[in-house]
């Protein structure tokens, strides 16, 4: 029994991990279910370029034809971006997709699983999943939160979208013992917006300090990951109240159409994008680039500390 029988790590990534050089994991749900084709192809190439420019190796994850892919070829990236028959794979779906050879995009939760199997410590995403609004009744809590509690990966995000109940999301993370660190900010960001109205646990001054906290956590033998809130750059930030109006309309529509479960996140993301007429898409790309840069710096500092 070994996950090694199922995993393909590219030689470049494998060598970087072995030699303690920085690697940054990237997810594929953002490509297959978060962005339109063919703009997502350009995005995928750009985000990998940014990681490289910061001296780290990018590792985009996906499940393709019964294999766990750590690092995708241009051809495989194209498959994920075209998103024809590509499911959204959370932890519960992981074995099913591999055993039945269905192609699947990895969420934050499953990208973290791939990281742990491959030995990658840092992962950049856009926004994490969380407790949904009205989650106290629907019990819709993203598996991302449970993964952060258990799997030793540092996840750099621009916070959580306002589609979620951000207060309860942070409460859940506290209960599960997940450190939430701000990169140069005291505010937990809300994806398109710099502030959610909720604070982080600790406002770190830079990536070096973030890496030091994460290193210490793991050095102590504490299990689980860490969440880094990296706010969207000023020039791309959108107005909180404007977004609140849009999101409330999208939530109402989802409710009327009976959209639930794993479909709710992609539905809301698509509706928000349509309603903001693409303005949000430009911001979405920029915040993800910003997170890739931050993650590469954290990965670099962690490698220094592990020497
Ligand atoms: N939030 C975003 N964009 C995304 C996602 C979340 O702003 O693309 C994706 C991520 O892959 C995340 C997943 O892990 O949705 C969460 O889905 P769910 O709520 O079904 O767990
Ligand atoms: Mn859910």
């Amino acid at each position: 029994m070994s996950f090694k029988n199922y995993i393909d790590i590219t030689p470049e990534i494998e060598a970087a991990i072995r030699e303690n050089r920085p690697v940054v994991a990237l997810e594929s749900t953002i490509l297959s279910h978060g962005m339109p084709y063919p703009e997502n192809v350009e995005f995928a190439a750009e985000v990998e370029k940014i990681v490289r420019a910061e001296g780290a190796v990018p590792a985009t994850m996906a499940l393709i034809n019964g294999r766990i892919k750590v690092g995708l070829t241009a051809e495989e990236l194209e498959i994920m971006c075209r998103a024809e028959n590509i499911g959204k794979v959370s932890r519960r779906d992981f074995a099913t997709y591999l055993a039945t050879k269905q192609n699947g995009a990895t969420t934050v939760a499953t990208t973290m699983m791939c990281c742990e199997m491959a030995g990658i410590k840092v992962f950049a995403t856009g926004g994490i999943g969380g407790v949904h609004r009205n989650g106290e009744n629907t019990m819709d809590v993203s598996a991302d939160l449970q993964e952060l509690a258990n799997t030793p990966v540092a996840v750099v995000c621009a916070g959580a979208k306002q589609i979620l109940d951000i207060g309860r999301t942070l409460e859940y993370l506290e209960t599960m013992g997940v450190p939430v660190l701000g990169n140069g900010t005291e505010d937990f960001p809300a994806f398109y917006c710099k502030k959610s109205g909720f604070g982080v646990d600790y406002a770190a001054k830079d990536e070096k300090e973030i890496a030091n906290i994460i290193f210490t956590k793991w050095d102590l033998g504490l299990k689980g990951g860490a969440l880094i809130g990296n706010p969207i750059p000023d020039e791309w930030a959108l107005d909180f109240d404007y977004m609140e109006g849009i999101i409330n309309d999208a939530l109402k529509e989802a409710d009327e159409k009976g959209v639930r479960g794993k479909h709710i996140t992609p539905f809301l993301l698509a509706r928000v994008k349509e309603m903001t007429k693409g303005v949000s898409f430009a911001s979405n790309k920029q915040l993800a680039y910003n997170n890739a840069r931050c993650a590469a710096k954290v990965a670099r500092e962690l490698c220094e500390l592990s020497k």
Side-chain angles (χ1 to χ4, degrees), residues 24-35:
V24 171
L26 302 163
E27 60 156 305
S28 44
T29 293
I30 194 170
L31 303 175
S32 301
H33 302 289
M35 291 182 181

Side-chain angles (χ1 to χ4, degrees), residues 123-298:
F123 160 30
T125 183
I128 57 156
V131 180
H132 279 260
R133 296 193 193 185
N134 197 33
E136 63 274 31
N137 294 313
T138 62
M139 285 184 70
D140 190 349
V141 177
S142 175
D144 293 354
L145 301 185
Q146 202 54 35
E147 208 62 46
L148 280 161
N150 293 310
T151 305
V153 179
V155 179
V156 178
C157 69
K161 273 214 181 93
Q162 279 166 270
I163 59 172
L164 300 173
D165 184 329
I166 297 179
R168 283 189 173 86
T169 298
L170 292 170
E171 288 294 343
Y172 192 101
L173 289 169
E174 182 195 4
T175 303
M176 292 295 152
V178 179
V180 178
L181 310 174
N183 183 26
T185 178
E186 292 182 354
D187 295 289
F188 186 70
F191 203 79
Y192 300 118
C193 313
K194 292 185 93 87
K195 299 181 183 189
S196 62
F198 297 90
V200 293
D201 307 327
Y202 179 71
K205 75 174 183 292
D206 55 21
E207 285 86 352
K208 190 169 181 168
E209 194 178 18
I210 290 167
N212 192 31
I213 293 168
I214 296 164
F215 180 83
T216 304
K217 170 171 173 162
W218 292 334
D219 210 24
L220 286 165
L222 296 177
K223 72 162 191 169
L227 187 64
I228 295 110
N230 186 42
I232 185 170
D234 285 324
E235 58 272 40
W236 299 100
L238 304 181
D239 183 68
F240 190 90
D241 295 328
Y242 165 71
M243 290 309 296
E244 193 66 22
I246 301 248
I247 285 160
N248 280 327
D249 290 348
L251 282 166
K252 207 167 135 236
E253 203 180 312
D255 190 45
E256 282 160 12
K257 292 191 169 150
V259 182
R260 276 183 211 96
K262 71 188 280 184
H263 303 294
I264 189 98
T265 300
F267 176 86
L268 293 173
L269 300 184
R271 284 303 288 137
V272 167
K273 183 176 164 250
E274 281 163 29
M275 290 192 275
T276 57
K277 299 193 176 58
V279 175
S280 65
F281 183 52
S283 293
N284 196 345
K285 286 191 289 189
Q286 294 298 327
L287 67 84
Y289 297 154
N290 195 44
N291 294 344
R293 256 186 306 268
C294 172
K297 288 180 187 155
V298 172

